[in-house]
């Protein structure tokens, strides 16, 4: 895939390019964009690159097309999304052109050789043209792939705070995380209130559990010593790192080996399905 300027840099004159196109050695895909393969045989990435080249220097694959390139979300659309800085650009058939005044060099990535928006900027742009549910799906996929950068997403939200896209992205992030991250005191109050409604004995809160395994004591969120039950309340924001993932499971293994039952409860479960958590507590802590 070549732009006219690239072909000229390679030493071809306009006349030579025209002759090659006439003889079928080059194929015109967009104005001033050529391919060595017929347009109908171009791969997805070939079509993406052609669209970016057609929109000139500084153009980036973006929105739904960038989400597909990043493997976040597939799209069946024939139109290709390209974003350019705030300047004029010729409109090309099959290209959905977006102009942005907030696009910076930091928002640029190269994926499979194609200039595109970073994953965080792609998420923001996707939130401008898609439903919150689709944005949630893209964020979840990014997390599964290990590509989601919370700091980069927060930076996009900060720089574009007054836009509808930022509000949509914030809603999607909160939904994926299980709602706005609660403080420990809020989580504790909600959980203890649920314990009272369930009629179970009050637990020890933030209590140390000593195990006879030669390793350090474990500080658990809620402890019922007589029943040997531990409840850990997992806020997604604080338990989704690799270190926390490994540490949590090591703690659970030690407690289980020592005869404790360990159950993890999320903020989303506590707030959106309290009846089930109440039944869980009753079943775990029922006398006898």
């Amino acid at each position: 895939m070549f732009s006219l300027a690239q072909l000229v840099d390679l030493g071809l004159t306009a006349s030579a390019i025209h002759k090659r196109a006439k003889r079928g050695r080059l194929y015109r895909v967009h104005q001033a964009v050529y391919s060595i393969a017929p347009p109908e045989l171009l791969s997805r990435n070939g079509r993406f690159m052609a669209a970016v080249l057609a929109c000139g220097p500084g153009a980036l694959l973006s929105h739904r097309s960038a989400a597909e390139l990043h493997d976040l979300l597939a799209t069946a659309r024939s139109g290709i999304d390209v974003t350019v800085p705030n300047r004029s650009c010729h409109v090309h058939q099959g290209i959905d052109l977006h102009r942005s005044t907030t696009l910076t060099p930091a928002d640029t990535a190269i994926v499979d050789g194609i200039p595109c928006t970073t994953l965080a900027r792609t998420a923001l742009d996707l939130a401008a043209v898609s439903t919150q549910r689709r944005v949630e799906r893209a964020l979840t996929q990014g997390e599964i792939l290990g590509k989601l950068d919370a700091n980069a997403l927060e930076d996009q939200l900060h720089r574009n705070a007054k836009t509808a896209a930022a509000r949509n992205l914030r809603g999607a992030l909160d939904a994926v995380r299980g709602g706005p991250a609660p403080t420990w005191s809020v989580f504790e109050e909600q959980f203890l209130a649920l314990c009272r409604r369930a009629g179970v004995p009050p637990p020890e809160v933030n209590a140390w559990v000593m195990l006879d395994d030669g390793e350090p004591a474990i500080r658990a969120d809620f402890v019922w010593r007589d029943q040997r039950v531990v409840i850990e309340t997992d806020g997604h924001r604080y338990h989704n790192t690799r270190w926390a993932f490994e540490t949590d499971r090591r703690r659970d293994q030690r407690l289980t080996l020592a005869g404790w039952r360990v159950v993890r409860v999320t903020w989303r479960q506590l707030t959106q399905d309290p009846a089930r958590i109440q039944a869980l507590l009753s079943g775990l802590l029922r006398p006898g």
Side-chain angles (χ1 to χ4, degrees), residues 12-259:
L12 294 178
T13 63
S15 176
I17 294 169
H18 177 73
K19 288 179 180 178
R20 281 168 169 76
K22 189 174 181 180
R23 294 171 184 170
R25 296 175 62 188
L26 283 175
Y27 297 87
R28 184 176 179 274
V29 183
H30 295 291
Q31 182 178 333
V33 178
Y34 296 87
S35 169
I36 59 174
E40 63 270 16
L41 297 182
L42 292 179
S43 66
R44 180 201 68 174
N45 283 10
R47 292 185 290 105
F48 284 170
M49 179 61 91
V52 171
L53 291 174
C55 295
L60 300 174
L61 194 74
S62 63
H63 295 72
R64 291 151 294 205
S65 301
E68 183 168 8
L69 186 64
H70 280 293
D71 293 326
L72 299 181
L73 197 66
T75 176
R77 299 176 68 254
S78 59
I80 297 173
D81 292 305
V82 176
T83 293
V84 297
N86 187 33
R87 56 183 173 81
S88 61
C89 179
H90 182 75
V91 176
H92 299 268
Q93 184 177 1
I95 299 176
D96 293 327
L97 191 65
H98 308 267
R99 294 177 175 85
S100 172
T101 59
T102 62
L103 202 64
T104 71
D107 297 323
T108 301
I110 303 293
V111 178
D112 293 339
I114 302 170
C116 66
T117 49
T118 61
L119 190 146
R121 175 64 192 225
T122 297
L124 178 75
D125 290 339
L126 188 64
V129 296
S130 298
T131 64
Q132 180 177 308
R133 180 59 186 142
R134 283 183 63 80
V135 179
E136 290 173 24
R137 287 172 55 195
L139 293 173
T140 300
Q141 180 64 12
E143 188 171 45
I144 290 170
L145 296 174
K147 296 180 179 180
L148 210 59
D149 185 333
N151 291 330
L153 289 168
E154 291 294 340
D155 177 62
Q156 290 293 338
L157 290 168
H158 175 73
R159 288 197 283 126
N160 302 277
K162 296 182 180 180
T163 65
R167 292 191 292 273
N168 194 14
L169 178 57
R170 172 62 72 190
L173 274 171
D174 287 345
V176 169
R177 290 168 172 169
T183 63
W184 164 246
S185 61
V186 171
F187 214 146
E188 176 185 338
E189 289 170 6
Q190 293 257 17
F191 186 79
L192 290 175
L194 191 68
C195 289
R196 289 192 291 272
R197 292 198 299 272
V200 299
E204 298 177 49
V205 180
N206 277 331
W208 291 97
V209 178
M210 300 292 295
L211 303 178
D212 190 20
D213 60 0
E215 295 190 47
I218 293 174
R219 189 173 185 176
D221 291 340
F222 300 98
V223 177
W224 287 265
R225 293 189 191 275
D226 291 344
Q227 295 86 356
R228 298 182 74 80
V229 169
V230 165
I231 298 286
E232 296 283 10
T233 48
D234 286 355
H236 184 273
R237 187 174 298 180
Y238 307 110
H239 289 263
N240 68 342
T241 66
R242 171 56 58 183
W243 180 86
F245 182 88
E246 297 292 342
T247 301
D248 289 345
R249 277 138 192 84
R250 177 60 183 151
R251 284 160 48 99
D252 292 354
Q253 291 163 3
R254 291 179 58 204
L255 286 164
T256 300
L257 189 61

